[in-house]
Amino acid sequence: MSLPSHVRLVEVGPRDGLQNEKQPIGVADKVRLVDDLSAAGLAYIEVGSFVSPKWVPQMAGSAEVFAGIDRRSGVTYAALTPNLQGLEAALAAGVREVAVFAAASEAFSQRNINCSIAESLKRFEPVMDAAQRHGVRVRGYVSCVLGCPYDGAVSARQVAVVCRELQAMGCHEVSLGDTIGVGTAGAVRHLFEVVGREVPRERLAGHFHDTYGQALANIYASLLEGIAVFDASVAGLGGCPYARGATGNVASEDVVYLLQGLGIETGVNLAGLIEAGQRISRVLGRESASRVARARSARE
Ligand code: HMG
Ligand code: MG
């Protein structure tokens, strides 16, 4: 299969990245990050989550962040909503695209959203209905597609079943999350082969955490399978509070660099993206996890 000519990047740093930080991060710094990202040409930014603040304290200020950002036309500003309560809060904050999140393993579903996979899908039904009534699009996530921190191996077949359900429910796209970053390129190709029989590939996205350093190889493997949407996190921020030891997503800067080298359009300005990553890394008091950003700053 030939590579796609264009890839859509879903920037998840402000959500997947910052949700896992121990230190408090102010609303102003979050707003600045989102604005820096849209200025760098990211057309889809996950800004925050409307989840229980007891479960994920870092996302508690998401409504304020939505109120503070400079909304550029043509940019999608999305939020996670695990249930109807979350969706209602998101709607009140003026959110026009949300995401529901399920898992491919039972143990992770319990730890992350306190219910079984089947219960979570049931819980999403009123979310889908209300979103549809308000003309809000819903993206779906499936976690632990290549392994679970509690259950170990996860079958591609099981992932395909959950993806099919989310699509049937009305999710316009389903993002496959390697939550703990254990996947390798061969497993990724097999996964998309199996899931691609249930959900058209143009409706699938890859979401690779880089814990084992495999994320860029996994993105390349996904491109070979015809996948053209990838989630990534500026400066490689992040992790999952319910997957101990899992590091951040693949760094957006490194993905853009890879895609540029392949002649694939993203619409993103790499220099602006690197700057956005350097700024938030300074706020967090540590070096960016993007290898490209580090290489560029070492050269300067
Ligand atoms: P629960 O405790 O079963 O919920 O949690 P509940 O319905 O029994 O409610 C309990 C309390 O939570 C109540 O408050 C509710 O009001 C409140 P109380 O009466 O005790 O004061 N509550 C809420 N508050 C704010 N917003 C809401 C909300 N819902 C209930 N939406 C629940 C169930 C789903 C709420 C909880 O488990 C939760 O919030 N989980 C979120 C976990 C999370 O955000 N994880 C990280 C994101 S997923 C991820 O990172 C993976 C991904 O990146 C892909 C990948 O890498 O794999 C997407
Ligand atoms: Mg994630």
Side-chain angles (χ1 to χ4, degrees), residues 15-16 19 50 52 54 83 85 112 114 143 179 207 209:
R15 192 280 303 170
D16 202 342
Q19 74 180 9
F50 293 88
S52 161
K54 287 188 195 132
N83 53 19
Q85 189 175 337
N112 194 40
N114 205 23
S143 286
T179 317
H207 177 110
H209 285 263

Side-chain angles (χ1 to χ4, degrees), residues 15-16 19 46 49-56 80 82-83 85-87 101 108 112-114 123 141-144 177-179 207 209 239-242 249:
R15 192 280 303 170
D16 202 342
Q19 74 180 9
E46 215 169 61
S49 302
F50 293 88
V51 299
S52 161
K54 287 188 195 132
W55 286 66
V56 185
L80 295 195
N83 53 19
Q85 189 175 337
L87 180 80
F101 44 108
F108 189 80
N112 194 40
I113 50 176
N114 205 23
R123 194 182 275 176
Y141 275 108
V142 181
S143 286
C144 299
D178 183 9
T179 317
H207 177 110
H209 285 263
C240 178
Y242 298 100
N249 288 90

Side-chain angles (χ1 to χ4, degrees), residues 229-243:
V229 182
F230 296 99
D231 305 352
S233 190
V234 68
L237 297 174
C240 178
Y242 298 100

Side-chain angles (χ1 to χ4, degrees), residues 134-148:
H134 287 86
V136 164
R137 295 203 313 165
V138 185
R139 190 173 198 243
Y141 275 108
V142 181
S143 286
C144 299
V145 298
L146 291 159
C148 168

Side-chain angles (χ1 to χ4, degrees), residues 173-199:
E173 182 170 286
V174 182
S175 176
L176 274 59
D178 183 9
T179 317
I180 52 172
V182 290
T184 53
V188 168
R189 293 201 71 168
H190 173 70
L191 177 69
F192 282 116
E193 254 169 55
V194 173
V195 177
R197 288 182 213 134
E198 301 291 345
V199 179

